[in-house]
Structure formats: C-alpha cells, structure tokens
Amino acid sequence: MAQRVCDPGKDFESFSEWSFWWRAASAGIPKEERASYEGIGLQKGQLWIQGLLEEMEGFTTRSWLPETSKTELESDLQRVMEAMVAHDDAQSQLAVPDEGSPLWLNRRFALDFLTVYGDALAHAPEEMKADREIVCAAVGLYGYSLRFAIDELRSDKEVVLKAASTNFTVLEHATREFCESKECMLEAVKLHGLSLEYAS
C-alpha cells in the first residue's frame, strides 16, 4: 500500500497545526516545491492573525498595559507569522515578542508559538513559565526549555519526562526532588538508559 502523503492545504485546519508540521517537514521539501507550501502557510497565517486580533480587542485599552495600537499588534503578529512560515532560525529569533508585549497575554498565541519555537519561553513573561500547559507545549519539541520553567514544573513528572523524551540530557535542569524520586527516574531510564547518571 502506498504511503499517504500529507496535504497541508487540507489536513491542517489551523495555522498552528500547519506550522508544527512545517517545522518538522520543511527540510525534506524540495526547494522548487517550497513556495507552494509557504503560500498555504501564509493563507492560514492571515486567518490566524485575524482571529488573534479579534480575541485581543480591548487588551490595549487597559491602563496597566503599555500603549499599543492595533496596527502595532498586527505588525508584530505579521512578523512572527512570516518567520514561522519561512522557518529561518535567525528570522525567528528576531520575531520573538518582547517579554512586555501584549501578545503574550493571549494564551492561544503563546501555545501556538511556543509549540513550534519552544526556546522562546526564555522571553515569555514569568506567568507563562509557571503555566503547566504552556511549558508542556514548549518542551515538546525543545526539551531544553525546561530550564526556563519554575521549580515546581521542573519537578513535575509529566513535564520533565516530556522534555526528556527529546533529549535525556535535559534532566540536568530537573530539580533534585525529581532526580531523587525512584519512580520518576525509572520512567526516565525507560526513555533513555543514560538518564540514570542524573539520579541523585
């Protein structure tokens, strides 16, 4: 039976699903075919931006936020989206919103962006680093993001094991409490035998 080829124009309804697939698949896409895939991503990305802007209406009217216009938010989102489509690491680093950006106030934005670029958790506000769902999303592809999470989450069995599934050496960022737990380390060793060297 022939292997089914994924069609990102049909199989992924959302931009976040498409961008997650694109990060993993883009290296294997022939150069001459990239433009058509990127075109699909840009179309989905524009819908993503529109949806986020609608959700964020009213954010910039709150007195405790920096004054940010809808045009500025849209410009920031456009830059982030284009970086996610181009999948260029240098461009992506420039697109990471500042810690004080109102974009981080939208959990859907944080989840979508950090699922693809988990290392950007370093630039997220402290409350994001304490949000279990968001940290889980960040460590899913980039386990080393674990080091940016609060201590409680660096002890959390599910979070740490998810990070360790990408690379067992991220266990150096787990708490002593995790590494002293026989149950937790047994699960880590099942992922990779060399995890045992991090046991306390």
Side-chain angles (χ1 to χ4, degrees), residues 11-174:
D11 293 3
F12 303 125
E13 293 183 2
S14 70
F15 176 66
S16 58
E17 291 176 338
W18 179 89
S19 56
F20 184 84
W21 168 82
W22 183 238
R23 175 143 202 192
S26 60
I29 303 293
K31 189 175 181 180
E32 61 274 14
E33 295 179 19
R34 284 183 65 94
S36 61
Y37 285 100
E38 289 174 353
I40 292 169
L42 289 170
Q43 290 174 8
K44 293 183 184 299
Q46 291 301 332
L47 294 173
W48 179 68
I49 288 173
Q50 290 172 22
L52 288 172
L53 287 172
E54 288 173 9
E55 289 179 15
M56 296 179 72
E57 272 205 56
F59 278 15
T60 56
T61 63
R62 298 178 187 175
S63 58
W64 46 270
L65 282 175
E67 189 173 334
T68 310
S69 68
K70 184 175 180 180
T71 302
E72 288 173 315
L73 283 175
E74 188 169 6
S75 177
D76 288 347
L77 281 169
Q78 187 75 27
R79 188 175 67 252
V80 170
M81 184 271 286
E82 289 176 358
M84 292 168 77
V85 171
H87 185 41
D88 176 274
D89 285 339
Q91 186 178 348
S92 299
Q93 287 301 317
L94 293 173
V96 175
D98 294 332
E99 184 175 339
S101 171
L103 291 179
W104 289 119
L105 293 172
N106 187 296
R107 290 188 83 258
R108 184 158 75 93
F109 168 81
L111 284 167
D112 290 351
F113 187 64
L114 292 172
T115 295
V116 182
Y117 294 102
D119 52 336
L121 186 64
H123 305 281
E126 291 305 308
E127 57 265 32
M128 294 292 177
K129 298 171 185 176
D131 187 308
R132 191 171 185 274
E133 184 181 9
I134 285 173
V135 171
C136 270
V139 302
L141 273 185
Y142 190 78
Y144 281 101
S145 292
L146 181 66
R147 69 186 187 272
F148 305 123
I150 62 170
D151 285 355
E152 181 182 343
L153 294 179
R154 292 190 296 110
S155 295
D156 186 289
K157 180 179 176 182
E158 181 185 350
V159 173
V160 176
L161 290 177
K162 188 168 186 178
S165 69
T166 68
N167 190 323
F168 77 96
T169 61
V170 306
L171 289 173
E172 67 180 298
H173 301 297

Side-chain angles (χ1 to χ4, degrees), residues 168-169 171-172 179 185 188-189 192-200:
F168 77 96
T169 61
L171 289 173
E172 67 180 298
C179 294
M185 289 308 299
V189 168
H192 199 293
L194 291 178
S195 299
L196 190 60
E197 66 186 73
Y198 292 96
S200 297

